[in-house]
Amino acid sequence: RHSIAIKTNPEKAVLKHITERGFGLEAASIEELQLAFECGLPVERAVFDSPAKTRKEIQWCEEHCAGMVVNANCLEELDRYSPESKLRLGLRINPEMEIDAPGLYNVGGTQSKFGVPISSRSEILERSIKPPFICGLHIHAGSDVGDFTANIQGIGAVVQLANAINDYRRNNGIEQQIGFIDIGGGIKADIDKAGNNTGLAGFTKALQQACPDLFANYEVITEFGRF
């Protein structure tokens, strides 16, 4: 499911064009989310990724956006949702590796403020068996990524974590499984002379080879923007 990042072109005519063709939209703020709904986006095709959601924003989402994907930025944020939440909650994971992204766009390193460090595996597993139960995992390690080798390694690590969570839940008598993995966006747009987007083609092929479990067992959500 391709959810286009609103921040890259927040013009209503553009967003309506995207929405009318069956794509989703990814919002990094509550204002972007409301803009998406003004453009006719169905709730179930929205992805809300703000890393600094207020309690009022969370409450509004729970009251008006049942079925929407909302990615929490940290374990503490999960405790701000109702145990009976109807949102599709995801948890952003920091792969803790350097991605081939320039400067501030590299948000996958050990100093990043975005996501739960993947090294906090035991804490993530313990939190995964408590309500509200997360439905998915999210990774966005960088933007304007050239060499996507490390990016794919990070996604592979998140897939392995999702598999581990599902095993841990089964062992604890919990039926609900991780159903989606949001792999973010950020792959550089490389256009060849024939007009083909070689960056995404190469990325997709390499990802399918490296992470067969991703496409076999999970709904895949993307957040490509400028691309």
Side-chain angles (χ1 to χ4, degrees):
R1 178 156 68 107
H2 295 296
S3 302
I4 312 305
I6 295 170
K7 70 174 80 63
T8 56
N9 202 331
E11 296 288 342
K12 281 190 174 182
V14 175
L15 299 179
K16 287 180 180 179
H17 180 88
I18 292 169
T19 298
E20 289 169 356
R21 281 150 184 79
F23 294 99
L25 293 173
E26 180 268 337
S29 68
I30 196 71
E31 292 82 6
E32 288 183 359
L33 184 62
Q34 292 166 345
L35 179 62
F37 293 149
E38 290 174 11
C39 294
L41 182 74
V43 168
E44 63 273 12
R45 277 198 263 136
V47 177
F48 186 33
D49 278 345
S50 169
K53 306 174 195 71
T54 66
R55 294 179 187 274
K56 183 181 289 188
E57 290 171 354
I58 289 173
Q59 182 180 1
W60 186 88
C61 289
E62 293 202 304
E63 292 175 353
H64 298 94
C65 304
M68 180 176 71
V69 170
V70 177
N71 290 316
N73 190 62
C74 59
L75 294 174
E76 292 80 4
E77 182 184 326
L78 292 174
D79 295 329
R80 297 171 190 163
Y81 296 85
S82 165
E84 293 81 31
S85 181
K86 303 300 182 184
L87 298 169
R88 297 183 68 198
L89 289 174
L91 180 64
R92 183 167 181 172
I93 303 297
N94 175 9
E96 296 185 286
M97 57 177 59
E98 295 299 321
I99 305 295
D100 184 29
L104 292 175
Y105 295 114
N106 187 341
V107 294
T110 56
Q111 301 301 314
S112 176
K113 61 186 176 182
F114 297 105
V116 183
I118 198 166
S119 58
S120 301
R121 179 185 175 96
S122 58
E123 291 90 340
I124 295 169
L125 289 176
E126 284 303 311
R127 183 58 187 77
S128 75
I129 60 174
K130 299 176 183 178
F133 297 115
I134 56 173
C135 304
L137 296 180
H138 173 217
I139 175 175
H140 179 79
S143 298
D144 205 26
V145 175
D147 182 351
F148 44 68
T149 303
N151 206 48
I152 288 178
Q153 291 173 350
I155 293 171
V158 169
V159 173
Q160 291 176 6
L161 178 60
N163 292 340
I165 290 173
N166 287 340
D167 289 341
Y168 195 68
R169 283 180 168 176
R170 280 190 290 265
N171 293 336
N172 282 274
I174 297 173
E175 294 183 2
Q176 184 170 340
Q177 300 282 281
I178 296 296
F180 73 83
I181 295 181
D182 183 337
I183 64 171
I187 303 304
K188 185 176 291 186
D190 293 330
I191 310 296
D192 65 18
K193 292 182 179 179
N196 299 310
N197 220 325
T198 55
L200 186 57
F203 172 74
T204 303
K205 182 177 180 180
L207 186 60
Q208 288 172 328
Q209 292 175 345
C211 307
D213 283 359
L214 174 64
F215 297 96
N217 300 327
Y218 300 99
E219 175 189 5
V220 180
I221 298 174
T222 74
E223 299 172 1
F224 293 105
R226 186 178 67 174
F227 189 94

